[in-house]
């Protein structure tokens, strides 16, 4: 087992999503990667422990759900220690609906969260880009989504992009996608990702010096994945 580190962000420093996904495949057997995400700041990666809000199709007879609104559910989700968390919003079956924009998600900025991950859409990319946090989603929306889906539960397991996210799981996202890492496995997954990167560097060095003639005859085997 990899050595524990008091700073989780140091464990993944210098790593990319692809290496972490490969490492998850070696440490765990379940799907952990989320594809086809976009961001108003695509050069900005996202990392931190998840807090979740589960969305469901809207109904006007669910009094508590509607009275709380996004703000009430947000504060239920982040609790008393919001700083550095990743707010994960499930699509609720409507990946084209908006889950928020510059106004609602200003709470993410004010409370010091690391950012937002959702397999639905967000609005106001220009405004979101002006904030300090990272936001990754299915795309930009124009229409308000509250008439389609609404928050329904906080800090419960949710499904995002075909992956189960449990509160406390670590989220890493960059321009290639996102990966969900169980908190107890983070040191092992990060260590395995570094071994994968080292193996890739070794393979690259070998490829640069390989003999094409020997490769064609099978005398020299290719080692890349």
């Amino acid at each position: 087992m990899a050595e524990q580190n008091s700073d989780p962000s140091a464990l993944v420093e210098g790593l990319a999503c692809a290496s972490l996904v490969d490492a998850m495949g070696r440490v765990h057997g379940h799907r952990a990667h989320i594809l086809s995400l976009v961001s108003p700041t695509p050069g900005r990666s996202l990392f931190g422990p998840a807090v979740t809000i589960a969305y469901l199709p809207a109904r006007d007879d669910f009094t508590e759900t509607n009275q709380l609104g996004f703000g009430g559910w947000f504060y239920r989700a982040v609790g008393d220690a919001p700083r550095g968390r990743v707010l994960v919003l499930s699509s609720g079956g409507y990946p084209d609906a908006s889950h928020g924009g510059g106004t609602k998600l200003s709470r993410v900025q004010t409370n010091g969260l690391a950012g937002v991950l959702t397999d639905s859409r967000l609005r106001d990319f220009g405004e979101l880009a002006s904030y300090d946090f990272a936001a990754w989603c299915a795309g930009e929306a124009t229409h308000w989504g509250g008439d389609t889906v609404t928050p329904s539960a906080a800090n419960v397991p949710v499904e995002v992009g075909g992956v189960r996210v449990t509160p406390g799981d670590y989220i890493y996202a960059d321009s290639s996608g996102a990966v969900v890492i169980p908190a107890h496995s983070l040191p092992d997954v990060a260590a395995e990702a570094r071994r994968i990167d080292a193996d890739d560097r070794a393979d690259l060095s070998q490829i640069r010096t390989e003999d094409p003639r020997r490769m064609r005859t099978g005398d020299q085997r290719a080692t890349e994945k």
Side-chain angles (χ1 to χ4, degrees), residues 199 202-204 206-207 210 215 220-225:
D199 289 344
D203 288 346
L204 181 60
Q206 179 175 331
I207 289 169
E210 66 192 10
M215 293 291 292
Q220 181 175 326
R221 292 187 177 180
T223 60
E224 68 269 22
K225 294 183 286 293

Side-chain angles (χ1 to χ4, degrees), residues 146-219:
D147 57 349
T148 306
V149 289
T150 55
S152 296
N155 280 336
V156 296
V158 295
E159 179 266 318
V160 176
V163 175
R164 177 172 175 154
V165 180
T166 300
D169 287 344
Y170 277 87
I171 306 296
Y172 184 95
D174 62 21
S175 58
S176 62
V179 60
V180 181
I181 306 170
H184 63 86
S185 298
L186 181 63
D188 291 327
V189 171
E192 187 63 33
R194 295 195 185 280
R195 285 190 285 270
I196 289 169
D197 282 351
D199 289 344
D200 284 348
R201 288 192 294 270
D203 288 346
L204 181 60
S205 178
Q206 179 175 331
I207 289 169
R208 285 172 175 166
T209 60
E210 66 192 10
D211 185 338
R213 293 170 295 179
R214 294 182 64 190
M215 293 291 292
R216 286 195 293 268
T217 60
D219 291 336

Side-chain angles (χ1 to χ4, degrees), residues 74-75 82-83 103 105-113 131 133:
F74 172 85
Y75 289 113
R83 185 162 297 276
T103 302
L105 295 179
S106 66
R107 296 180 178 93
V108 176
Q109 173 84 0
T110 300
N111 290 276
L113 275 72
Y131 294 142
F133 62 83

Side-chain angles (χ1 to χ4, degrees), residues 15-18 20 37 42-46 136 172-179:
L15 295 172
C17 185
L20 290 166
L37 297 173
R44 190 180 297 173
S45 61
L46 172 63
W136 290 92
Y172 184 95
D174 62 21
S175 58
S176 62
V179 60

Side-chain angles (χ1 to χ4, degrees), residues 17-18 21 31-40 42 89 91 95-96 116-122 125 135-140 160-163 172-179:
C17 185
V21 169
R31 179 186 171 103
H33 62 282
I34 303 168
L35 298 174
S36 302
L37 297 173
V38 300
S39 173
L89 312 174
S91 68
D96 287 333
V116 181
L117 175 75
T118 180
D119 56 346
S120 191
R121 293 177 178 262
L122 298 175
F125 269 29
W136 290 92
C137 63
E140 188 169 11
V160 176
V163 175
Y172 184 95
D174 62 21
S175 58
S176 62
V179 60

